[in-house]
Amino acid sequence: MASFMQSLKTGFQRVAAQQREAQLRAAAQSAEQNSAAIGRSAHDFVASLTSFVPQSLKMIQGAVSGAAANPNPLNWTIGGVKQGMQVFIEVYGAFCIGEVIGKRQLIGYPVKKYWRG
């Protein structure tokens, strides 16, 4: 009877070990699929950023060359003014983001830490 119980226990342990291995294999396969999907998403995001930058540079070049060719404001078109304003807003937005990053806070500079009055 004891040997039967021992063999039954060993059989249950084998089945449990096989189930754990199957679960681990399924988890590893799911992790591989998820990492591949994340890699594709990251690649698509970087590709969208790199395709955006040349478009912005072409737009800036067009606005600057248009303003240089037409220095008289009476000869400007509505489209040219819109394009110039868009370029100005993009450049000003990049400046503001750089200021926030440089200050490491949203409003004001941290003068209290450095000022001794």
Side-chain angles (χ1 to χ4, degrees):
M1 186 66 124
S3 65
F4 173 72
M5 294 299 277
Q6 184 64 29
S7 64
L8 190 61
K9 181 180 175 183
T10 305
F12 282 133
Q13 288 175 346
R14 277 192 205 131
V15 170
Q18 289 173 350
Q19 288 177 345
R20 280 194 301 267
E21 288 177 15
Q23 288 174 346
L24 287 174
R25 275 191 233 108
Q29 185 179 9
S30 175
E32 287 175 8
Q33 291 171 350
N34 289 341
S35 68
I38 290 170
R40 283 192 302 273
S41 298
H43 180 267
D44 293 344
F45 177 71
V46 170
S48 69
L49 285 180
T50 55
S51 67
F52 172 75
V53 171
Q55 293 170 1
S56 294
L57 291 177
K58 286 180 185 176
M59 186 177 67
I60 291 170
Q61 182 183 12
V64 170
S65 65
N70 247 339
N72 185 1
L74 297 176
N75 295 332
W76 291 353
T77 62
I78 298 294
V81 172
K82 284 182 182 177
Q83 190 177 23
M85 288 302 295
Q86 186 176 2
V87 169
F88 173 76
I89 289 170
E90 284 183 8
V91 170
Y92 182 71
F95 170 77
C96 290
I97 290 171
E99 281 289 305
V100 169
I101 291 171
K103 291 186 291 189
R104 298 178 190 220
Q105 58 189 16
L106 192 57
I107 300 172
Y109 285 95
V111 293
K112 290 182 182 178
K113 288 194 291 188
Y114 305 109
W115 183 68
R116 295 181 186 185

